[in-house]
Structures are given as structure tokens and as C-alpha cells.
Amino acid sequence: MITKRDITVAAITMGLTMSFVIANSKMANLDSSIFDWNDIPVKETKTGSVRTFFRSSTATLDELECHVTTLNTGESSHPPHKHPEEEVIIIKEGTLEALVNGNMKRVGPGSVVFQASNQMHSIKNVGSTPATYHVFSWHSPGTMKK
């Protein structure tokens, strides 16, 4: 016969087990890894496409994210905006116009754009072919919204 004590012990055990599983899943950091271009799925967007390589906590960051965006000719990834995380953008191909420190500047393959925390920024394809760029962004400890 199952008693109230048995049910209580089972409930406490289940609760502790679930707490352990949740705590450990939140602590899983990105480990050294290789991400093969050909293995990353391409998601079509209204402005081009995106490949998301990773988005995870690391040993030193609340979150590190890497994606590659391809913008169709004349398209912007988003309107000018700002956020607490910093970004590095590396242009692979095409011609982009980037908003940095209130100024628009044309950049091409091999160029690097750094977007500082909480500064307005945007990027637009101003070339005659699709433009592809790598984006690395990170949330330093304490900068992510709860």
C-alpha cells in the first residue's frame, strides 16, 4: 500500500532530480568545436538567408553567438537599432553600407566592422550582387535580459 510518506518522498526525489537536470543544462558551455559550413542549415528570410552556427554560454561569457547572413541586393538586415551586446561583422563577399558612430560607410570583402555596446547600427547591401557576412556577438556576464 502506498502511503502519504511514499508519495512525499517520491515527489521530493523527482523535484531534486529535475532541479539537477535543469541546473546542469544551464551550465553547459560551448566546448571547443568545429562547425563545417556544409553542415549548417540555411534558413531563407525575407531579405536573404541566415546560417546559425552556434548560440551558447561559454566559460567566460553568458552567451556567444555566430551566424552568417546573406543579404539580397538593396536589402537591410534590420532598421537601425542598439543593444547591450557587442558585435564583430566580417564581410565575406559583396558591398555593404554600415552605420557606425552615426556615419554610413561602404565596406567590401575582408572588411571588419565592430559595433560597440548600446550604439545605433545597421547594415545594408548596396552592391549589385548578394552580400554575405559573418557576425560574432557576445553577452558579457550580467548584460543579458532576464
Side-chain angles (χ1 to χ4, degrees):
M1 174 178 221
I2 298 176
T3 66
K4 284 184 183 180
R5 181 183 175 280
D6 294 332
I7 293 171
T8 301
V9 169
I12 290 170
T13 302
M14 285 177 31
L16 289 172
T17 301
M18 291 304 295
S19 296
F20 179 78
V21 168
I22 291 169
N24 280 337
S25 68
K26 288 182 181 178
M27 293 189 307
N29 290 331
L30 181 64
D31 198 8
S32 296
S33 306
I34 292 175
F35 302 91
D36 188 306
W37 178 268
N38 298 311
D39 294 338
I40 306 301
V42 179
K43 179 184 172 195
E44 298 300 321
T45 67
K46 66 179 185 169
T47 59
S49 65
V50 66
R51 294 173 191 251
T52 301
F53 284 75
F54 54 81
R55 184 178 212 138
S56 179
S57 61
T58 71
T60 60
L61 297 171
D62 285 349
E63 183 179 87
L64 176 63
E65 189 251 345
C66 172
H67 69 271
V68 175
T69 296
T70 298
L71 284 179
N72 295 330
T73 303
E75 296 289 347
S76 294
S77 56
H78 47 66
H81 71 285
K82 60 184 177 178
H83 44 67
E85 68 270 23
E86 296 167 316
E87 295 180 326
V88 170
I89 300 167
I90 303 170
I91 292 81
K92 179 179 183 229
E93 55 195 17
T95 304
L96 297 167
E97 190 173 68
L99 173 62
V100 176
N101 294 325
N103 298 308
M104 299 299 281
K105 174 142 179 150
R106 282 183 179 236
V107 291
S111 298
V112 176
V113 178
F114 173 70
Q115 299 292 3
S117 176
N118 293 313
Q119 291 189 348
M120 294 297 285
H121 64 275
S122 66
I123 202 156
K124 180 179 182 178
N125 181 351
V126 293
S128 59
T129 62
T132 300
Y133 54 93
H134 298 253
V135 178
F136 298 88
S137 67
W138 56 93
H139 284 274
S140 298
T143 60
M144 288 186 73
K145 293 180 182 176
K146 300 284 180 191

